[in-house]
Amino acid sequence: MNAKDLSLRLQKAAEFVPQDARLADIGSDHAYLPVALILQNRISYGIAGEVVEGPYKSAKKQVAKNGLENKIDVRLADGLEAVELADEVSAITICGMGGVLIRDILQRGKEKNRLSGKERLILQPNVGERQLRQWLVNEKYTITDEAIIEENNKIYEIIVADKYSEVLDYSAKELLFGPHLLIEKTPVFIEKWQHKLNKSKKILTSLHQSDQDVTEKIQEVALEIEWIKEVLADAGK
Ligand code: SAM
């Protein structure tokens, strides 16, 4: 694959990176995202942050292979410790990890004063979207945009968040489905939730058969099933 090209999942995340951004890509195995965006003339500067030695070396190699050492810094660091406020990053991408891991990276970054609040967050959790949205909302971010795509039989969500002076309220349903995705109800969104509905029904059946006290869990799953049915019915499914 040409270094300018990205997988559909990463290209979709890339579309939300503002033109000429100073981008930090955290968990930047091979630095594919910053390298492609520099080559596409979409960003002015990139940081590729990696905590694991192997992917860090791959990122260094990819940057060197494309002669971009003067445009992309590859840093071996845990999460947002790869970023200093002096770097003046205007966008952060964290892709291809669980939502809870992304949330924890953001939380530690906040505690270590690595977030100015001015940078756009572009997040692509593989699972755990609700927990990630909950953190964003607790931290008074606005969920500015979202996307849902399918690639190689897997469905991925992308969540974009910015901090504005005005703080919006989100319902529990919006945190689960995604405020924008819930309005758009694309075919991929429907497919994801039809699949999830079947899975949740099976979980509920096995919970009812459990000999432990799982009353709370039963209520939680039953409510989720009710919401999914409502959302699918709204979409005529
Ligand atoms: N972002 C790329 C993508 O979406 O294709 C790579 C995804 S890969 C599955 C996850 C990467 O995140 C791995 O290279 C892993 O080493 C890195 N990673 C996990 N936790 C991290 C952390 N706390 N700080 C920096 N990188 C981390």
Side-chain angles (χ1 to χ4, degrees):
M1 194 164 75
N2 190 305
K4 245 183 175 173
D5 300 328
L6 289 165
S7 64
L8 177 63
R9 175 181 61 83
L10 286 180
Q11 185 54 43
K12 198 72 210 169
E15 283 171 21
F16 293 110
V17 175
Q19 181 63 38
D20 300 323
R22 292 175 64 80
L23 172 74
D25 183 43
I26 305 301
S28 195
D29 186 11
H30 288 88
Y32 285 138
L33 190 53
V35 166
L37 286 185
I38 288 277
L39 294 176
Q40 293 172 15
N41 290 318
R42 288 271 288 98
I43 58 170
S44 59
Y45 166 74
I47 295 169
E50 249 300 332
V51 75
V52 177
E53 188 84 28
Y56 163 75
K57 283 191 179 150
S58 309
K60 275 221 135 248
K61 228 189 240 173
Q62 180 73 354
V63 169
K65 197 172 109 186
N66 288 280
L68 296 177
E69 293 99 324
N70 59 341
K71 299 256 186 185
I72 299 173
D73 285 326
V74 184
R75 298 180 182 165
L76 184 64
D78 179 14
L80 289 169
E81 286 182 49
V83 180
E84 308 275 346
L85 288 184
D87 292 317
E88 297 191 336
V89 304
S90 53
I92 295 174
T93 43
I94 314 180
C95 300
M97 300 178 211
V100 170
L101 179 56
I102 297 177
R103 178 197 71 188
D104 293 347
I105 287 174
L106 291 169
Q107 176 63 24
R108 285 202 305 278
K110 181 197 127 180
E111 286 163 9
K112 296 204 164 163
N113 200 28
R114 305 300 166 124
L115 290 170
S116 70
K118 290 185 193 138
E119 57 287 275
R120 160 170 283 203
L121 305 180
I122 300 133
L123 312 169
Q124 184 270 298
N126 292 337
V127 290
E129 294 86 355
R130 184 177 58 80
Q131 291 92 328
L132 182 55
R133 286 193 191 95
Q134 184 69 67
W135 185 89
L136 292 169
V137 169
N138 291 351
E139 295 301 321
K140 306 198 179 339
Y141 279 90
T142 297
I143 299 173
T144 338
D145 215 335
E146 288 171 318
I148 186 163
I149 60 117
E150 185 166 13
E151 185 174 45
N152 300 329
N153 291 321
K154 285 199 188 129
I155 292 179
Y156 301 101
E157 292 187 13
I158 294 147
I159 302 170
V160 185
D162 294 270
K163 216 165 212 184
Y164 299 130
S165 49
E166 195 190 344
V167 178
L168 296 184
D169 260 348
Y170 293 91
S171 67
K173 220 170 169 181
E174 286 175 315
L175 295 183
L176 178 64
F177 295 99
H180 299 272
L181 301 179
L182 189 56
I183 293 170
E184 290 159 10
K185 294 191 185 69
T186 64
V188 178
F189 173 88
I190 301 294
E191 188 187 331
K192 169 177 174 152
W193 289 103
Q194 278 172 333
H195 181 71
K196 186 83 170 79
L197 178 62
N198 292 335
K199 238 170 113 183
S200 297
K201 280 181 180 169
K202 284 186 192 142
I203 293 171
L204 191 62
T205 306
S206 62
L207 282 172
H208 278 302
Q209 288 160 355
S210 170
D211 44 18
Q212 299 182 4
D213 182 11
V214 286
T215 321
E216 236 178 77
K217 188 74 196 159
I218 286 178
Q219 282 168 355
E220 193 186 302
V221 177
L223 181 64
E224 191 172 297
I225 289 175
E226 198 183 304
W227 283 357
I228 300 173
K229 282 182 175 169
E230 274 173 26
V231 166
L232 292 176
D234 275 357
K237 301 288 165 183

